[in-house]
Amino acid sequence: MKYEVLLNILDHIRNEATERFLKKYLPPLTEPEKINNARARAYIHLYLKVLFGMLNFDDRERLITDGGYDGGIDGYYIDKDSKRVYLIQSKFRTSAYNYESKQISLDEILRMDVTRILEGEEQDEAGNNYNGKIKQLQREVREIPDIGRYSYQVVLLANVPDVSSSKLRMLTGGYAVQVFDYEKSYKDLVYPVVSGSYFTAGDISIPIDLSNKNAGSKISYTVSTKISDCEITVLFVPIVEIAKIMNKYKNSILKYNPRSYLDFEGQNVNQAIRETVMDNTTNEFALYNNGITMLSDETYINEKIGQKNKAQLTVTNPQIINGGQTSFTLSRILHDCPVDEIEEVFGGKEVLLKIITLINDSTHEDKLRLIEEISSATNKQTPVNNADRYANETFHQTIQAKAFDSYGLFYERKRGEFSDGVHCGYIKKSEIIERNQFFRIFYSANGMLSKGMEKKLFARNKFSEIDVGNDEAFDRFYIGLCVFRKLTGTSNSPQTFPKVIYAKIYMYVFLFGSQGVVVDETALNANLDALNVAWTTFINYQAENSKYGLLTVVDRKSREVRFVFSEKKFCESNGFEKSIKEYFRKQL
């Protein structure tokens, strides 16, 4: 499944190709070899996009050197912030098995001419001229004014034989090596794209229009709280700048927000925001919208930037803790808007931005506590429920990572966090595991039916029965999920399904769990057929022998009282879980 998601992402990148590269990236479907070659190049695009936030296709393509006489270097990136030059070699595999098992040979690593290229040699050892892209790399390195402060990093997008870091250094000529094997690529390239959290904001700058602000660009004052002293800055900023920020950083700028953007559940609010922007040429948005609250490590405003009626706001490590839905909707409008219509749609429209800068050094726990209190106090558009508040806790993050790493599943700890992945077609909405449903299935598959049927699982956020290190318990959950999807056709609904669904999950795991994690569709269907027979037999037995689920019926004529077994009442009775466990244990 994870490999299929990777292919979806690579194909999406191929579709980003501009006109001059269409032939290379979008060959006919009848030419699979050319499609595989295009995906191999798109794999390097993926690395550049995720690690360095390069959203523009042409900007990334310019850095791909793969081709004849490339000196074993397939791409590069010069990071002026970290003072590092990245030199990339990539080995993309065209099947899930090969991608996860086939290794790059040590000889292929040895063939990287890193030293020759960085020393300015124009030819390889065989006397062949390096291609134009490699010469471009050399030229750009030469033009770095403080090159003496730079270091070099070899990046291998490949499965590497089990050798030490020191030996890898020797193979590359003494340069540090970073390996993106299949596991790291799934974790650090694929998953962040699906969740929209692949590039973290550092310093961002927002231009401010002062032409209609006769009192200056901002209101700023210091507030003391029980957690930390804070500086609060309040000002109006162009909505197009908020749209650009969200379009680039996506969920990575909502890291401390109790929710991600609500594409599925917040449709009414999203539509209202969209209509305010699209249906007005004037600035009603500034009146109607509650505004955006942002957390920042440092905040600066410069009103002397050499431009009349202009100023610039700079924030460091920004995080939107309220107003994520507004920001998300603005980014979608920008994404869908033709370039030549952006000014017409966004021009002259602003939104209130409140920036909270923590002055004292605060712990991570203090930050989270402050964020929770601000969210509870300021949110007006969509309520923050208990599950939202607990979403950022380590326990839920660990489950999310384990679900993806072990089974390629998408546990939605924050509402809407996979919206971007669904919108772009990387995954289907049905492939997301809604958080309440996760726990109901987990408990049921592990024999705790009553716990799984509790109506408010997140009321106290206590899941002490779940040991995140118990692989067998999680395997039972995965089997239960396969059964649940077969029985209901979804895993992304917060609703509580009839108790019989969860009972059948327990029964299936009890009867067939020893067969291992379910992957075979034929075996699953055969087992479900057998399960339905076993269920019918079980209900018939209970109808004859159970004291639970009995309805009192009075004959109208004789007034005789008799008891009739009701399957529905039996399933809802307090003795249901005890009865099902006792029955099936006796059968084995």
Side-chain angles (χ1 to χ4, degrees), residues 169-417:
R169 274 180 172 267
M170 291 173 60
L171 290 170
T172 60
Y175 300 100
V177 180
Q178 184 179 33
V179 176
F180 276 75
D181 60 11
Y182 79 94
E183 290 181 316
K184 186 172 178 63
S185 293
Y186 283 146
K187 180 180 179 181
D188 294 343
L189 299 182
V190 172
Y191 189 88
V193 171
V194 174
S195 62
S197 57
Y198 54 84
F199 186 61
T200 303
D203 287 352
I204 63 171
S205 297
I206 301 174
I208 307 298
D209 183 5
L210 300 179
S211 59
N212 57 349
K213 301 177 179 65
N214 52 21
S217 60
K218 65 183 175 76
I219 298 173
S220 184
Y221 57 99
T222 301
V223 175
S224 294
T225 73
K226 59 186 177 183
I227 295 174
S228 171
D229 286 346
C230 303
E231 181 181 64
I232 299 177
T233 303
V234 181
L235 70 167
F236 281 92
V237 301
I239 63 172
V240 69
E241 298 300 328
I242 298 296
K244 289 176 182 177
I245 291 169
M246 180 58 76
N247 193 50
K248 181 172 184 178
Y249 298 112
K250 303 183 188 297
N251 275 331
S252 66
I253 206 168
L254 300 173
K255 193 179 298 181
Y256 292 128
N257 198 298
R259 293 187 303 257
S260 297
Y261 35 67
L262 302 182
D263 193 15
F264 306 135
E265 298 180 47
Q267 291 289 355
N268 291 337
V269 174
N270 295 352
Q271 186 60 32
I273 294 170
R274 177 179 284 272
E275 288 174 357
T276 304
V277 175
M278 303 297 292
D279 295 349
N280 296 285
T281 57
T282 46
N283 195 17
E284 281 81 0
F285 195 89
L287 297 176
Y288 299 163
N289 192 270
N290 292 330
I292 296 166
T293 303
M294 179 182 287
L295 200 68
S296 172
D297 289 344
E298 295 178 343
T299 304
Y300 308 98
I301 293 182
N302 189 348
E303 297 183 5
K304 297 177 176 61
I305 62 172
Q307 291 179 276
K308 187 177 181 180
N309 292 328
K310 299 292 182 183
Q312 181 167 285
L313 165 70
T314 301
V315 291
T316 300
N317 297 327
Q319 286 290 319
I320 293 173
I321 58 174
N322 188 271
Q325 200 167 353
T326 295
S327 306
F328 156 70
T329 305
L330 293 175
S331 74
R332 279 287 166 83
I333 296 172
L334 178 65
H335 181 272
D336 297 337
C337 187
V339 175
D340 58 353
E341 296 179 14
I342 291 177
E343 177 59 29
E344 179 184 347
V345 172
F346 288 92
K349 298 169 186 175
E350 296 185 315
V351 65
L352 184 67
L353 177 64
K354 179 167 70 175
I355 306 169
I356 301 173
T357 307
L358 274 62
I359 297 175
N360 300 335
D361 292 332
S362 301
T363 65
H364 179 70
E365 290 72 21
D366 285 343
K367 267 190 177 182
L368 290 179
R369 187 148 47 98
L370 180 61
I371 290 164
E372 180 179 334
E373 292 178 2
I374 294 171
S375 295
S376 298
T378 61
N379 192 281
K380 302 295 182 186
Q381 291 181 342
T382 309
V384 178
N385 58 35
N386 280 340
D388 291 333
R389 293 190 180 96
Y390 300 136
N392 283 324
E393 291 188 356
T394 302
F395 172 74
H396 295 287
Q397 293 184 35
T398 302
I399 287 180
Q400 187 177 64
K402 189 177 185 72
F404 181 74
D405 293 344
S406 299
Y407 313 105
L409 301 174
F410 299 95
Y411 168 63
E412 187 183 47
R413 63 182 175 87
K414 297 172 71 172
R415 284 188 288 167
E417 68 180 313

Side-chain angles (χ1 to χ4, degrees), residues 11 38 40 42 53 57 66 219 241 288 352 369 414 419 423 451-452 456 479 525 553:
D11 288 342
F57 181 92
D66 183 34
I219 298 173
E241 298 300 328
Y288 299 163
L352 184 67
R369 187 148 47 98
K414 297 172 71 172
S419 169
H423 181 75
K451 180 71 177 177
K456 296 183 178 180
I479 295 170
N525 289 333
V553 178

